[in-house]
Amino acid sequence: VNLLFGLGFSALFLLGGPRIYGAMGGEGASLTAGLSYSNVVFAGTPLVWLMNAVASSIRGTGNMLVPSAAVCAGVLLLVPLSPLLIFGFGPIPALGMAGAGAAVVLTTILTMTVLTGYLLSRRSVVRPRRARLRWALFADILRVGVVGSVNTFQTTLTVALTTALVGLAAGSDAVAGYGTGTRLEYLLIPLVFGLGAPLVALVGTNIGAGLRERALRAALVGGAVAFGLAETVGLAGAIWPEAWLRLFDTDPAVLATGAAYLRVVGPAYGFFGLGLCLYFASQGAGRLLWPILAGLARLILAVGGGWLALRLTGSLTWVFAALAVALVVYGGTLLAAVASGVWFREPAGLRRASSGRAPRVRRSHPAASGRTPR
């Protein structure tokens, strides 16, 4: 499943990249640079999917430490490796934006190698073996995975459409600056993932054991930690934006747009981390409606609000303000919903079905079932 999805996305962007990025505002030198990055990254996309499949297999055994440590180590390696391959150093040639893509692929390969080595070792609870493919398993995986991927798709679609807004407002240099700034937001995803993945198991296990308050407490504590980490990164980016931006480009127009984005949106990164962490916790509770609704609200506010701000003011600063408000609404909505106990409320359909069966239960004699009726 992962390999097929990876190959599908590779084909989509390797063949349709110029049209997709052109529609987002890319042109001239910025489009060429974007394609040089994209072509390398999407050539290695199947490896990203496979790496995550191996990591998820290890998490399924209850081992959260190994995949989290491997992914975090990969992110830490990616930060210095990107400028090294972009600008070159000593015998290492300058690869430009293709170097940024190569850094992503190389860190993915290294992370996957470590995780695969662990999965094949004696320390792993499960090991891969040959098995007959069964369509029932494909259906089970896709039924959960497709719904779970909606949240990530909403995040990506939000960035893609707002990139088009930035390009419409200020041209290709602004697109490059905005894209460089949002790379910092994307790096928060694996960081929060290290906290969110264990919450899937913690929340699910406690709810299954009937310990609802403990499950809710674990989710809220995890969300608070994710908020603190993401907010720290966001505030650092807002205070010292060029420390991040100059890792990728030195063009004044690119730096100006990227800095404006980080100064306005960076302080709202904590709410992105909070919402993403509670999304993982909601997976453990088996309740994904509110994360999807919160992501939809973010998409509408960011794109619709950004478009309206651009029409009324013509200023990118107000577009970025709409993005910040959208992040606050995203995280705040999920926090309010989870804290209010939406996980533990029966859907209306189930309540009606239960009330419809209740008379038959009350008419049953206690001795007939050996149970005392409620």
Side-chain angles (χ1 to χ4, degrees), residues 164-189:
L165 278 178
V166 171
L168 179 66
S172 57
D173 286 339
V175 168
Y178 173 67
T180 304
T182 54
R183 278 180 66 87
L184 188 59
E185 179 181 332
Y186 269 105
L187 280 180
L188 294 176
I189 295 177

mmCIF file with all atom_site columns, all heavy atoms in Angstrom, residues 164-189:
data_model
loop_
_atom_site.group_PDB
_atom_site.id
_atom_site.type_symbol
_atom_site.label_atom_id
_atom_site.label_alt_id
_atom_site.label_comp_id
_atom_site.label_asym_id
_atom_site.label_entity_id
_atom_site.label_seq_id
_atom_site.pdbx_PDB_ins_code
_atom_site.Cartn_x
_atom_site.Cartn_y
_atom_site.Cartn_z
_atom_site.occupancy
_atom_site.B_iso_or_equiv
_atom_site.pdbx_formal_charge
_atom_site.auth_seq_id
_atom_site.auth_comp_id
_atom_site.auth_asym_id
_atom_site.auth_atom_id
_atom_site.pdbx_PDB_model_num
ATOM 1   N N   . ALA A 1 164 ? -0.230 30.064 -3.710 1.00 0.00 ? 164 ALA A N   1
ATOM 2   C CA  . ALA A 1 164 ? -0.767 30.701 -4.915 1.00 0.00 ? 164 ALA A CA  1
ATOM 3   C C   . ALA A 1 164 ? -1.199 32.136 -4.628 1.00 0.00 ? 164 ALA A C   1
ATOM 4   O O   . ALA A 1 164 ? -1.003 33.037 -5.450 1.00 0.00 ? 164 ALA A O   1
ATOM 5   C CB  . ALA A 1 164 ? -1.944 29.888 -5.449 1.00 0.00 ? 164 ALA A CB  1
ATOM 6   N N   . LEU A 1 165 ? -1.774 32.374 -3.432 1.00 0.00 ? 165 LEU A N   1
ATOM 7   C CA  . LEU A 1 165 ? -2.156 33.740 -3.054 1.00 0.00 ? 165 LEU A CA  1
ATOM 8   C C   . LEU A 1 165 ? -0.944 34.652 -2.968 1.00 0.00 ? 165 LEU A C   1
ATOM 9   O O   . LEU A 1 165 ? -0.967 35.788 -3.450 1.00 0.00 ? 165 LEU A O   1
ATOM 10  C CB  . LEU A 1 165 ? -2.873 33.728 -1.705 1.00 0.00 ? 165 LEU A CB  1
ATOM 11  C CG  . LEU A 1 165 ? -4.358 33.377 -1.675 1.00 0.00 ? 165 LEU A CG  1
ATOM 12  C CD1 . LEU A 1 165 ? -4.860 33.375 -0.242 1.00 0.00 ? 165 LEU A CD1 1
ATOM 13  C CD2 . LEU A 1 165 ? -5.157 34.363 -2.524 1.00 0.00 ? 165 LEU A CD2 1
ATOM 14  N N   . VAL A 1 166 ? 0.121  34.145 -2.355 1.00 0.00 ? 166 VAL A N   1
ATOM 15  C CA  . VAL A 1 166 ? 1.343  34.942 -2.218 1.00 0.00 ? 166 VAL A CA  1
ATOM 16  C C   . VAL A 1 166 ? 1.924  35.254 -3.593 1.00 0.00 ? 166 VAL A C   1
ATOM 17  O O   . VAL A 1 166 ? 2.354  36.388 -3.866 1.00 0.00 ? 166 VAL A O   1
ATOM 18  C CB  . VAL A 1 166 ? 2.365  34.204 -1.336 1.00 0.00 ? 166 VAL A CB  1
ATOM 19  C CG1 . VAL A 1 166 ? 3.719  34.918 -1.361 1.00 0.00 ? 166 VAL A CG1 1
ATOM 20  C CG2 . VAL A 1 166 ? 1.863  34.086 0.098  1.00 0.00 ? 166 VAL A CG2 1
ATOM 21  N N   . GLY A 1 167 ? 1.930  34.264 -4.472 1.00 0.00 ? 167 GLY A N   1
ATOM 22  C CA  . GLY A 1 167 ? 2.431  34.498 -5.819 1.00 0.00 ? 167 GLY A CA  1
ATOM 23  C C   . GLY A 1 167 ? 1.592  35.514 -6.567 1.00 0.00 ? 167 GLY A C   1
ATOM 24  O O   . GLY A 1 167 ? 2.121  36.359 -7.308 1.00 0.00 ? 167 GLY A O   1
ATOM 25  N N   . LEU A 1 168 ? 0.278  35.448 -6.374 1.00 0.00 ? 168 LEU A N   1
ATOM 26  C CA  . LEU A 1 168 ? -0.617 36.409 -7.023 1.00 0.00 ? 168 LEU A CA  1
ATOM 27  C C   . LEU A 1 168 ? -0.359 37.824 -6.518 1.00 0.00 ? 168 LEU A C   1
ATOM 28  O O   . LEU A 1 168 ? -0.430 38.794 -7.270 1.00 0.00 ? 168 LEU A O   1
ATOM 29  C CB  . LEU A 1 168 ? -2.068 36.008 -6.748 1.00 0.00 ? 168 LEU A CB  1
ATOM 30  C CG  . LEU A 1 168 ? -3.168 36.903 -7.328 1.00 0.00 ? 168 LEU A CG  1
ATOM 31  C CD1 . LEU A 1 168 ? -3.135 36.845 -8.854 1.00 0.00 ? 168 LEU A CD1 1
ATOM 32  C CD2 . LEU A 1 168 ? -4.535 36.471 -6.816 1.00 0.00 ? 168 LEU A CD2 1
ATOM 33  N N   . ALA A 1 169 ? -0.017 37.948 -5.233 1.00 0.00 ? 169 ALA A N   1
ATOM 34  C CA  . ALA A 1 169 ? 0.148  39.268 -4.631 1.00 0.00 ? 169 ALA A CA  1
ATOM 35  C C   . ALA A 1 169 ? 1.503  39.884 -4.924 1.00 0.00 ? 169 ALA A C   1
ATOM 36  O O   . ALA A 1 169 ? 1.604  41.087 -5.166 1.00 0.00 ? 169 ALA A O   1
ATOM 37  C CB  . ALA A 1 169 ? -0.050 39.180 -3.115 1.00 0.00 ? 169 ALA A CB  1
ATOM 38  N N   . ALA A 1 170 ? 2.569  39.063 -4.900 1.00 0.00 ? 170 ALA A N   1
ATOM 39  C CA  . ALA A 1 170 ? 3.910  39.662 -4.927 1.00 0.00 ? 170 ALA A CA  1
ATOM 40  C C   . ALA A 1 170 ? 4.902  38.974 -5.845 1.00 0.00 ? 170 ALA A C   1
ATOM 41  O O   . ALA A 1 170 ? 6.079  39.350 -5.841 1.00 0.00 ? 170 ALA A O   1
ATOM 42  C CB  . ALA A 1 170 ? 4.467  39.687 -3.498 1.00 0.00 ? 170 ALA A CB  1
ATOM 43  N N   . GLY A 1 171 ? 4.511  37.970 -6.604 1.00 0.00 ? 171 GLY A N   1
ATOM 44  C CA  . GLY A 1 171 ? 5.414  37.397 -7.584 1.00 0.00 ? 171 GLY A CA  1
ATOM 45  C C   . GLY A 1 171 ? 6.255  36.245 -7.063 1.00 0.00 ? 171 GLY A C   1
ATOM 46  O O   . GLY A 1 171 ? 6.125  35.795 -5.926 1.00 0.00 ? 171 GLY A O   1
ATOM 47  N N   . SER A 1 172 ? 7.160  35.780 -7.924 1.00 0.00 ? 172 SER A N   1
ATOM 48  C CA  . SER A 1 172 ? 7.894  34.540 -7.677 1.00 0.00 ? 172 SER A CA  1
ATOM 49  C C   . SER A 1 172 ? 8.898  34.648 -6.529 1.00 0.00 ? 172 SER A C   1
ATOM 50  O O   . SER A 1 172 ? 9.119  33.674 -5.807 1.00 0.00 ? 172 SER A O   1
ATOM 51  C CB  . SER A 1 172 ? 8.617  34.100 -8.955 1.00 0.00 ? 172 SER A CB  1
ATOM 52  O OG  . SER A 1 172 ? 9.486  35.126 -9.413 1.00 0.00 ? 172 SER A OG  1
ATOM 53  N N   . ASP A 1 173 ? 9.516  35.817 -6.347 1.00 0.00 ? 173 ASP A N   1
ATOM 54  C CA  . ASP A 1 173 ? 10.461 35.962 -5.231 1.00 0.00 ? 173 ASP A CA  1
ATOM 55  C C   . ASP A 1 173 ? 9.751  35.807 -3.889 1.00 0.00 ? 173 ASP A C   1
ATOM 56  O O   . ASP A 1 173 ? 10.283 35.204 -2.952 1.00 0.00 ? 173 ASP A O   1
ATOM 57  C CB  . ASP A 1 173 ? 11.163 37.319 -5.294 1.00 0.00 ? 173 ASP A CB  1
ATOM 58  C CG  . ASP A 1 173 ? 12.202 37.390 -6.399 1.00 0.00 ? 173 ASP A CG  1
ATOM 59  O OD1 . ASP A 1 173 ? 12.663 36.310 -6.836 1.00 0.00 ? 173 ASP A OD1 1
ATOM 60  O OD2 . ASP A 1 173 ? 12.550 38.501 -6.831 1.00 0.00 ? 173 ASP A OD2 1
ATOM 61  N N   . ALA A 1 174 ? 8.534  36.356 -3.822 1.00 0.00 ? 174 ALA A N   1
ATOM 62  C CA  . ALA A 1 174 ? 7.757  36.211 -2.591 1.00 0.00 ? 174 ALA A CA  1
ATOM 63  C C   . ALA A 1 174 ? 7.361  34.758 -2.362 1.00 0.00 ? 174 ALA A C   1
ATOM 64  O O   . ALA A 1 174 ? 7.339  34.278 -1.226 1.00 0.00 ? 174 ALA A O   1
ATOM 65  C CB  . ALA A 1 174 ? 6.514  37.092 -2.646 1.00 0.00 ? 174 ALA A CB  1
ATOM 66  N N   . VAL A 1 175 ? 7.052  34.048 -3.446 1.00 0.00 ? 175 VAL A N   1
ATOM 67  C CA  . VAL A 1 175 ? 6.732  32.620 -3.332 1.00 0.00 ? 175 VAL A CA  1
ATOM 68  C C   . VAL A 1 175 ? 7.907  31.858 -2.739 1.00 0.00 ? 175 VAL A C   1
ATOM 69  O O   . VAL A 1 175 ? 7.737  31.003 -1.854 1.00 0.00 ? 175 VAL A O   1
ATOM 70  C CB  . VAL A 1 175 ? 6.354  32.031 -4.711 1.00 0.00 ? 175 VAL A CB  1
ATOM 71  C CG1 . VAL A 1 175 ? 6.308  30.509 -4.658 1.00 0.00 ? 175 VAL A CG1 1
ATOM 72  C CG2 . VAL A 1 175 ? 5.010  32.571 -5.169 1.00 0.00 ? 175 VAL A CG2 1
ATOM 73  N N   . ALA A 1 176 ? 9.112  32.168 -3.216 1.00 0.00 ? 176 ALA A N   1
ATOM 74  C CA  . ALA A 1 176 ? 10.299 31.500 -2.692 1.00 0.00 ? 176 ALA A CA  1
ATOM 75  C C   . ALA A 1 176 ? 10.495 31.806 -1.211 1.00 0.00 ? 176 ALA A C   1
ATOM 76  O O   . ALA A 1 176 ? 10.822 30.921 -0.411 1.00 0.00 ? 176 ALA A O   1
ATOM 77  C CB  . ALA A 1 176 ? 11.528 31.931 -3.492 1.00 0.00 ? 176 ALA A CB  1
ATOM 78  N N   . GLY A 1 177 ? 10.272 33.068 -0.812 1.00 0.00 ? 177 GLY A N   1
ATOM 79  C CA  . GLY A 1 177 ? 10.420 33.432 0.592  1.00 0.00 ? 177 GLY A CA  1
ATOM 80  C C   . GLY A 1 177 ? 9.385  32.767 1.474  1.00 0.00 ? 177 GLY A C   1
ATOM 81  O O   . GLY A 1 177 ? 9.695  32.261 2.558  1.00 0.00 ? 177 GLY A O   1
ATOM 82  N N   . TYR A 1 178 ? 8.139  32.753 1.005  1.00 0.00 ? 178 TYR A N   1
ATOM 83  C CA  . TYR A 1 178 ? 7.068  32.111 1.764  1.00 0.00 ? 178 TYR A CA  1
ATOM 84  C C   . TYR A 1 178 ? 7.316  30.602 1.877  1.00 0.00 ? 178 TYR A C   1
ATOM 85  O O   . TYR A 1 178 ? 7.152  30.015 2.951  1.00 0.00 ? 178 TYR A O   1
ATOM 86  C CB  . TYR A 1 178 ? 5.732  32.379 1.083  1.00 0.00 ? 178 TYR A CB  1
ATOM 87  C CG  . TYR A 1 178 ? 4.575  31.626 1.693  1.00 0.00 ? 178 TYR A CG  1
ATOM 88  C CD1 . TYR A 1 178 ? 4.137  31.914 2.979  1.00 0.00 ? 178 TYR A CD1 1
ATOM 89  C CD2 . TYR A 1 178 ? 3.915  30.632 0.974  1.00 0.00 ? 178 TYR A CD2 1
ATOM 90  C CE1 . TYR A 1 178 ? 3.069  31.225 3.538  1.00 0.00 ? 178 TYR A CE1 1
ATOM 91  C CE2 . TYR A 1 178 ? 2.848  29.941 1.525  1.00 0.00 ? 178 TYR A CE2 1
ATOM 92  C CZ  . TYR A 1 178 ? 2.435  30.239 2.807  1.00 0.00 ? 178 TYR A CZ  1
ATOM 93  O OH  . TYR A 1 178 ? 1.382  29.557 3.360  1.00 0.00 ? 178 TYR A OH  1
ATOM 94  N N   . GLY A 1 179 ? 7.743  29.996 0.768  1.00 0.00 ? 179 GLY A N   1
ATOM 95  C CA  . GLY A 1 179 ? 8.022  28.558 0.797  1.00 0.00 ? 179 GLY A CA  1
ATOM 96  C C   . GLY A 1 179 ? 9.145  28.203 1.751  1.00 0.00 ? 179 GLY A C   1
ATOM 97  O O   . GLY A 1 179 ? 9.088  27.191 2.453  1.00 0.00 ? 179 GLY A O   1
ATOM 98  N N   . THR A 1 180 ? 10.169 29.050 1.798  1.00 0.00 ? 180 THR A N   1
ATOM 99  C CA  . THR A 1 180 ? 11.275 28.801 2.721  1.00 0.00 ? 180 THR A CA  1
ATOM 100 C C   . THR A 1 180 ? 10.809 28.931 4.168  1.00 0.00 ? 180 THR A C   1
ATOM 101 O O   . THR A 1 180 ? 11.207 28.148 5.036  1.00 0.00 ? 180 THR A O   1
ATOM 102 C CB  . THR A 1 180 ? 12.425 29.788 2.452  1.00 0.00 ? 180 THR A CB  1
ATOM 103 O OG1 . THR A 1 180 ? 12.826 29.688 1.079  1.00 0.00 ? 180 THR A OG1 1
ATOM 104 C CG2 . THR A 1 180 ? 13.618 29.481 3.346  1.00 0.00 ? 180 THR A CG2 1
ATOM 105 N N   . GLY A 1 181 ? 9.934  29.910 4.425  1.00 0.00 ? 181 GLY A N   1
ATOM 106 C CA  . GLY A 1 181 ? 9.408  30.082 5.776  1.00 0.00 ? 181 GLY A CA  1
ATOM 107 C C   . GLY A 1 181 ? 8.552  28.899 6.211  1.00 0.00 ? 181 GLY A C   1
ATOM 108 O O   . GLY A 1 181 ? 8.663  28.410 7.346  1.00 0.00 ? 181 GLY A O   1
ATOM 109 N N   . THR A 1 182 ? 7.698  28.412 5.313  1.00 0.00 ? 182 THR A N   1
ATOM 110 C CA  . THR A 1 182 ? 6.806  27.305 5.681  1.00 0.00 ? 182 THR A CA  1
ATOM 111 C C   . THR A 1 182 ? 7.550  25.985 5.849  1.00 0.00 ? 182 THR A C   1
ATOM 112 O O   . THR A 1 182 ? 7.006  25.046 6.442  1.00 0.00 ? 182 THR A O   1
ATOM 113 C CB  . THR A 1 182 ? 5.699  27.123 4.630  1.00 0.00 ? 182 THR A CB  1
ATOM 114 O OG1 . THR A 1 182 ? 6.284  26.970 3.332  1.00 0.00 ? 182 THR A OG1 1
ATOM 115 C CG2 . THR A 1 182 ? 4.754  28.309 4.620  1.00 0.00 ? 182 THR A CG2 1
ATOM 116 N N   . ARG A 1 183 ? 8.768  25.900 5.354  1.00 0.00 ? 183 ARG A N   1
ATOM 117 C CA  . ARG A 1 183 ? 9.561  24.687 5.613  1.00 0.00 ? 183 ARG A CA  1
ATOM 118 C C   . ARG A 1 183 ? 9.754  24.476 7.112  1.00 0.00 ? 183 ARG A C   1
ATOM 119 O O   . ARG A 1 183 ? 9.824  23.345 7.593  1.00 0.00 ? 183 ARG A O   1
ATOM 120 C CB  . ARG A 1 183 ? 10.938 24.782 4.930  1.00 0.00 ? 183 ARG A CB  1
ATOM 121 C CG  . ARG A 1 183 ? 10.935 24.422 3.463  1.00 0.00 ? 183 ARG A CG  1
ATOM 122 C CD  . ARG A 1 183 ? 12.322 24.542 2.873  1.00 0.00 ? 183 ARG A CD  1
ATOM 123 N NE  . ARG A 1 183 ? 13.239 23.573 3.436  1.00 0.00 ? 183 ARG A NE  1
ATOM 124 C CZ  . ARG A 1 183 ? 13.411 22.329 2.978  1.00 0.00 ? 183 ARG A CZ  1
ATOM 125 N NH1 . ARG A 1 183 ? 12.711 21.922 1.944  1.00 0.00 ? 183 ARG A NH1 1
ATOM 126 N NH2 . ARG A 1 183 ? 14.293 21.521 3.537  1.00 0.00 ? 183 ARG A NH2 1
ATOM 127 N N   . LEU A 1 184 ? 9.841  25.571 7.850  1.00 0.00 ? 184 LEU A N   1
ATOM 128 C CA  . LEU A 1 184 ? 9.975  25.457 9.299  1.00 0.00 ? 184 LEU A CA  1
ATOM 129 C C   . LEU A 1 184 ? 8.704  24.862 9.907  1.00 0.00 ? 184 LEU A C   1
ATOM 130 O O   . LEU A 1 184 ? 8.769  24.052 10.839 1.00 0.00 ? 184 LEU A O   1
ATOM 131 C CB  . LEU A 1 184 ? 10.259 26.831 9.913  1.00 0.00 ? 184 LEU A CB  1
ATOM 132 C CG  . LEU A 1 184 ? 10.614 26.857 11.404 1.00 0.00 ? 184 LEU A CG  1
ATOM 133 C CD1 . LEU A 1 184 ? 11.860 26.021 11.681 1.00 0.00 ? 184 LEU A CD1 1
ATOM 134 C CD2 . LEU A 1 184 ? 10.827 28.289 11.883 1.00 0.00 ? 184 LEU A CD2 1
ATOM 135 N N   . GLU A 1 185 ? 7.552  25.260 9.383  1.00 0.00 ? 185 GLU A N   1
ATOM 136 C CA  . GLU A 1 185 ? 6.286  24.673 9.852  1.00 0.00 ? 185 GLU A CA  1
ATOM 137 C C   . GLU A 1 185 ? 6.240  23.180 9.559  1.00 0.00 ? 185 GLU A C   1
ATOM 138 O O   . GLU A 1 185 ? 5.807  22.381 10.390 1.00 0.00 ? 185 GLU A O   1
ATOM 139 C CB  . GLU A 1 185 ? 5.107  25.385 9.175  1.00 0.00 ? 185 GLU A CB  1
ATOM 140 C CG  . GLU A 1 185 ? 3.749  24.827 9.589  1.00 0.00 ? 185 GLU A CG  1
ATOM 141 C CD  . GLU A 1 185 ? 2.597  25.526 8.882  1.00 0.00 ? 185 GLU A CD  1
ATOM 142 O OE1 . GLU A 1 185 ? 2.750  26.702 8.511  1.00 0.00 ? 185 GLU A OE1 1
ATOM 143 O OE2 . GLU A 1 185 ? 1.544  24.878 8.697  1.00 0.00 ? 185 GLU A OE2 1
ATOM 144 N N   . TYR A 1 186 ? 6.698  22.785 8.380  1.00 0.00 ? 186 TYR A N   1
ATOM 145 C CA  . TYR A 1 186 ? 6.685  21.364 8.023  1.00 0.00 ? 186 TYR A CA  1
ATOM 146 C C   . TYR A 1 186 ? 7.625  20.550 8.911  1.00 0.00 ? 186 TYR A C   1
ATOM 147 O O   . TYR A 1 186 ? 7.363  19.377 9.185  1.00 0.00 ? 186 TYR A O   1
ATOM 148 C CB  . TYR A 1 186 ? 7.074  21.179 6.552  1.00 0.00 ? 186 TYR A CB  1
ATOM 149 C CG  . TYR A 1 186 ? 5.885  21.187 5.620  1.00 0.00 ? 186 TYR A CG  1
ATOM 150 C CD1 . TYR A 1 186 ? 5.613  22.289 4.819  1.00 0.00 ? 186 TYR A CD1 1
ATOM 151 C CD2 . TYR A 1 186 ? 5.033  20.098 5.542  1.00 0.00 ? 186 TYR A CD2 1
ATOM 152 C CE1 . TYR A 1 186 ? 4.523  22.305 3.966  1.00 0.00 ? 186 TYR A CE1 1
ATOM 153 C CE2 . TYR A 1 186 ? 3.943  20.100 4.691  1.00 0.00 ? 186 TYR A CE2 1
ATOM 154 C CZ  . TYR A 1 186 ? 3.691  21.200 3.895  1.00 0.00 ? 186 TYR A CZ  1
ATOM 155 O OH  . TYR A 1 186 ? 2.606  21.213 3.061  1.00 0.00 ? 186 TYR A OH  1
ATOM 156 N N   . LEU A 1 187 ? 8.716  21.163 9.343  1.00 0.00 ? 187 LEU A N   1
ATOM 157 C CA  . LEU A 1 187 ? 9.631  20.438 10.226 1.00 0.00 ? 187 LEU A CA  1
ATOM 158 C C   . LEU A 1 187 ? 9.013  20.179 11.598 1.00 0.00 ? 187 LEU A C   1
ATOM 159 O O   . LEU A 1 187 ? 9.489  19.309 12.334 1.00 0.00 ? 187 LEU A O   1
ATOM 160 C CB  . LEU A 1 187 ? 10.942 21.219 10.386 1.00 0.00 ? 187 LEU A CB  1
ATOM 161 C CG  . LEU A 1 187 ? 11.947 21.092 9.240  1.00 0.00 ? 187 LEU A CG  1
ATOM 162 C CD1 . LEU A 1 187 ? 13.182 21.918 9.525  1.00 0.00 ? 187 LEU A CD1 1
ATOM 163 C CD2 . LEU A 1 187 ? 12.332 19.640 9.005  1.00 0.00 ? 187 LEU A CD2 1
ATOM 164 N N   . LEU A 1 188 ? 7.959  20.913 11.944 1.00 0.00 ? 188 LEU A N   1
ATOM 165 C CA  . LEU A 1 188 ? 7.274  20.646 13.201 1.00 0.00 ? 188 LEU A CA  1
ATOM 166 C C   . LEU A 1 188 ? 6.506  19.328 13.154 1.00 0.00 ? 188 LEU A C   1
ATOM 167 O O   . LEU A 1 188 ? 6.250  18.718 14.199 1.00 0.00 ? 188 LEU A O   1
ATOM 168 C CB  . LEU A 1 188 ? 6.291  21.781 13.518 1.00 0.00 ? 188 LEU A CB  1
ATOM 169 C CG  . LEU A 1 188 ? 6.885  23.155 13.823 1.00 0.00 ? 188 LEU A CG  1
ATOM 170 C CD1 . LEU A 1 188 ? 5.764  24.167 14.016 1.00 0.00 ? 188 LEU A CD1 1
ATOM 171 C CD2 . LEU A 1 188 ? 7.776  23.100 15.055 1.00 0.00 ? 188 LEU A CD2 1
ATOM 172 N N   . ILE A 1 189 ? 6.128  18.880 11.966 1.00 0.00 ? 189 ILE A N   1
ATOM 173 C CA  . ILE A 1 189 ? 5.304  17.666 11.850 1.00 0.00 ? 189 ILE A CA  1
ATOM 174 C C   . ILE A 1 189 ? 6.023  16.445 12.411 1.00 0.00 ? 189 ILE A C   1
ATOM 175 O O   . ILE A 1 189 ? 5.470  15.736 13.262 1.00 0.00 ? 189 ILE A O   1
ATOM 176 C CB  . ILE A 1 189 ? 4.855  17.459 10.390 1.00 0.00 ? 189 ILE A CB  1
ATOM 177 C CG1 . ILE A 1 189 ? 3.930  18.605 9.965  1.00 0.00 ? 189 ILE A CG1 1
ATOM 178 C CG2 . ILE A 1 189 ? 4.156  16.108 10.230 1.00 0.00 ? 189 ILE A CG2 1
ATOM 179 C CD1 . ILE A 1 189 ? 3.489  18.546 8.522  1.00 0.00 ? 189 ILE A CD1 1
#
